[in-house]
Amino acid sequence: MSLLEELKSLGVDVDGGVKRLAGKQALYERMMFKFLDMMKKSVVSPDFDSNDYGEVIEIAHALKGAAGNLSVTPVYEAYGKIVDLLRSQQPEEARKVLKDVLPVQGKILDCIERHANA
Amino acid sequence: MKKNKTILIVDDVEINRVILAEIFKDSYQIVEAGSGAEAIGIINGHPDIVAVLLDLLMPGVSGLGVLEDMNRTGRIKHIPVFLITAAESEAVLMEGYHLGAVDVIRKPFMTQFLQCRVSNLIELYAHRNALEDIVEEQVEKLQAVNRSMVETLAAIIEFRDCESGEHVKRIGKLTRVMMTEVSNTYPEYYLPKEEIDIIVTSSVLHDIGKISIPDQILNKPGRLTAEEFDIMKQHTVKGCEILQSIPDIMDKSIYSYSYDICRHHHERWDGKGYPDGLRGDEISIWAQVVAVADVYDALTSERVYKAAYSREKAVDMIYHGECGAFNPKLLEVFRNALEQI
């Protein structure tokens, strides 16, 4: 299966993302590889400090923006909720959302990584 | 259409920059900045920026920091700034608007709407900037015409007065330096430079009323009799009458300053001047300044009725009240002013 087909099966709105890039599939794929780099560098760990999570908000906010622009819908929606919950001082609820999305996020990133190395 | 029009994209996340660049690269040149500090450098050094797409949350200098710098430099008036946001709080977005941002771009980007909104505002700003340039050019031309009208009038008076055109030029020069000194030294007399420019232009008309004074009095070599001096004193009021009859040939503010200076440049601080016997700060500061400049220039110039005094002697006479009383604050700055001319 191609990268884009596989991403579709994992809930990524590939058509929306490609459309945003003027229909350029190759550019979209390159952006997905950059997204992988970004996700590796900007990790939000589920054991973040319940009393000091300002930096977590910033990282989650940046991930939300990039995921939204590439239409990585499950990641975009989850990090959007995480940002909202943390801003309304509900760290435990945010932690739950983060734990729920990590397996899906892991599959998406694995998929991109396999194709990047192929 | 494309060539020089440049959009600056500011976002610390490369993916967002690439996507925005893709959206606009067919119609505009694209410059990217990965930080607020980098953006400030580009905005200040790049004349062809027609729009800035600005992320708010960035490490180091934030988007708001970039907006603050654009306010400081005045660039915000000429370049539309769009805030890129995923979900900033309403308060942050409002702060962005207050700092001059024109619109908000939400992530994920909606390509076609975004193209339309950004292009429309770029065109609008281009139109506005062009109009501002035209207005500025016209204002400059009008000001030049105004100045030349006023100078022509002043030259006519000087022909009558058997003086060279240098007299009004010297008065203008001393008025500028004294007004600037007094404005910088005393907050109660502060005036912006633009106003001082108008006062200087207006000062050259202070003696326009002399055109109505008979030759035998105006150019009398000896001392004037009491009656003759009464007629001579009329040049202040006559000057105002002349100005009233030609108000349309000059700018309203020049007219207003000229009128005041014409009427009150012979008033004195102790109320012993003419024509209205005003005292202290009842006399406008510009009329007071022209009064000192006029007296100083009269003393240091040769006239039909007297030889020229030396600079030192003239200053001494003014400080000792031999030409009437002046505002002590004005005398404080007078010496400094003289050193500058």
Side-chain angles (χ1 to χ4, degrees):
Chain A
M1 220 180 342
S2 73
L3 168 62
L4 299 190
E5 281 170 5
E6 208 172 323
L7 286 173
K8 269 186 202 174
S9 73
L10 291 168
V12 176
D13 176 16
V14 170
D15 293 340
V18 171
K19 191 179 166 196
R20 192 166 292 116
L21 286 169
K24 294 177 181 169
Q25 283 194 10
L27 180 61
Y28 182 72
E29 285 182 8
R30 281 212 305 282
M31 286 301 103
M32 290 310 274
F33 299 145
K34 289 209 178 289
F35 181 65
L36 173 67
D37 288 344
M38 184 183 174
M39 294 295 285
K40 280 182 179 173
K41 282 180 198 154
S42 314
V43 175
V44 181
S45 167
D47 58 357
F48 63 81
D49 186 339
S50 297
N51 298 311
D52 180 14
Y53 45 79
E55 198 184 338
V56 176
I57 295 179
E58 278 183 27
I59 297 171
H61 180 265
L63 294 179
K64 177 199 168 185
N69 272 335
L70 293 172
S71 298
V72 188
T73 316
V75 176
Y76 166 64
E77 288 177 349
Y79 282 91
K81 278 182 201 157
I82 291 166
V83 169
D84 290 345
L85 288 166
L86 290 178
R87 279 190 179 149
S88 58
Q89 289 160 356
Q90 302 178 70
E92 299 318 316
E93 285 78 357
R95 198 186 310 278
K96 189 172 172 305
V97 176
L98 178 60
K99 282 180 178 170
D100 287 346
V101 77
L102 283 178
V104 186
Q105 175 183 318
K107 282 183 190 170
I108 293 171
L109 297 185
D110 283 348
C111 162
I112 301 170
E113 183 139 37
R114 260 188 290 110
H115 285 273
N117 296 329
Chain B
M1 281 299 287
K2 180 175 168 179
K3 282 316 134 196
N4 292 335
K5 289 183 178 177
T6 303
I7 292 181
L8 171 63
I9 298 169
V10 191
D11 199 313
D12 58 318
V13 177
E14 188 189 358
I15 292 169
N16 297 329
R17 295 200 304 271
V18 171
I19 293 177
L20 283 172
E22 196 58 36
I23 291 172
F24 289 102
K25 73 174 189 176
D26 289 340
S27 306
Y28 300 94
Q29 298 279 356
I30 304 293
V31 176
E32 295 181 25
S35 71
E38 197 185 342
I40 288 172
I42 294 171
I43 292 166
N44 293 332
H46 202 307
D48 296 322
I49 303 277
V50 293
V52 178
L53 313 185
L54 179 66
D55 186 25
L56 279 173
L57 265 186
M58 290 181 287
V61 179
S62 70
L64 293 178
V66 174
L67 281 171
E68 279 164 7
D69 190 76
M70 290 180 76
N71 275 272
R72 190 181 56 74
T73 59
R75 297 282 274 158
I76 194 75
K77 287 184 199 154
H78 305 288
I79 304 175
V81 178
F82 299 79
L83 305 178
I84 305 170
T85 170
E88 269 76 13
S89 69
E90 203 173 308
V92 174
L93 291 178
M94 280 317 293
E95 199 175 344
Y97 273 122
H98 286 141
L99 285 168
V102 293
D103 205 351
V104 170
I105 298 171
R106 292 188 188 281
K107 290 180 228 173
F109 305 139
M110 296 172 73
T111 308
Q112 285 177 326
F113 281 117
L114 192 50
Q115 283 171 329
C116 291
R117 279 156 66 191
V118 172
S119 299
N120 285 348
L121 272 161
I122 287 175
E123 290 312 310
L124 191 66
Y125 266 65
H127 188 59
R128 199 178 78 174
N129 291 341
L131 281 179
E132 274 180 15
D133 288 346
I134 293 169
V135 169
E136 203 174 309
E137 203 177 297
Q138 293 296 327
V139 166
E140 270 173 29
K141 277 186 192 164
L142 270 177
Q143 284 172 342
V145 169
N146 262 317
R147 273 196 305 274
S148 102
M149 286 277 194
V150 169
E151 281 162 11
T152 306
L153 280 172
I156 294 169
I157 312 158
E158 298 222 320
F159 267 118
R160 278 287 326 280
D161 209 2
C162 297
E163 285 174 23
S164 70
E166 292 305 306
H167 169 64
V168 288
K169 281 188 192 157
R170 288 193 303 265
I171 297 281
K173 208 168 170 185
L174 190 49
T175 298
R176 176 181 301 286
V177 180
M178 283 181 73
M179 277 308 303
T180 306
E181 278 281 318
V182 88
S183 169
N184 291 343
T185 312
Y186 302 107
E188 66 269 35
Y189 294 137
Y190 170 77
L191 282 169
K193 185 189 169 295
E194 297 72 31
E195 286 298 303
I196 293 178
D197 286 344
I198 299 171
I199 290 168
V200 171
T201 302
S202 307
S203 72
V204 302
L205 291 179
H206 66 282
D207 271 344
I208 191 173
K210 282 188 177 171
I211 208 158
S212 67
I213 305 298
D215 275 347
Q216 64 272 25
I217 296 175
L218 191 62
N219 295 319
K220 183 176 176 181
R223 202 177 174 80
L224 296 179
T225 64
E227 293 76 20
E228 286 169 338
F229 190 50
D230 280 342
I231 293 169
M232 188 64 162
K233 286 199 296 198
Q234 286 296 309
H235 81 275
T236 52
V237 181
K238 295 280 185 195
C240 290
E241 287 171 13
I242 292 169
L243 289 174
Q244 274 176 323
S245 68
I246 50 167
D248 294 334
I249 71 160
M250 63 186 86
D251 177 273
K252 209 171 175 181
S253 50
I254 295 182
Y255 173 79
S256 152
Y257 281 122
S258 300
Y259 188 97
D260 189 45
I261 290 169
C262 222
R263 186 164 188 107
H264 295 134
H265 72 282
H266 282 285
E267 302 287 358
R268 289 296 180 265
W269 187 247
D270 55 5
K272 291 183 179 167
Y274 62 87
D276 297 319
L278 300 182
R279 62 171 62 230
D281 279 325
E282 286 174 353
I283 315 161
S284 65
I285 189 63
W286 41 89
Q288 293 185 47
V289 164
V290 174
V292 174
D294 189 35
V295 163
Y296 174 76
D297 196 68
L299 291 173
T300 51
S301 307
E302 189 183 334
R303 294 284 164 90
V304 285
Y305 55 87
K306 69 175 240 329
Y309 291 109
S310 71
R311 188 174 166 133
E312 294 69 29
K313 172 75 179 163
V315 171
D316 205 45
M317 288 171 78
I318 289 171
Y319 275 87
H320 286 92
E322 289 178 43
C323 307
F326 293 106
N327 183 344
K329 287 178 179 171
L330 209 51
L331 294 180
E332 281 286 318
V333 300
F334 178 52
R335 229 183 266 272
N336 278 345
L338 279 184
E339 282 167 17
Q340 295 172 46
I341 57 169

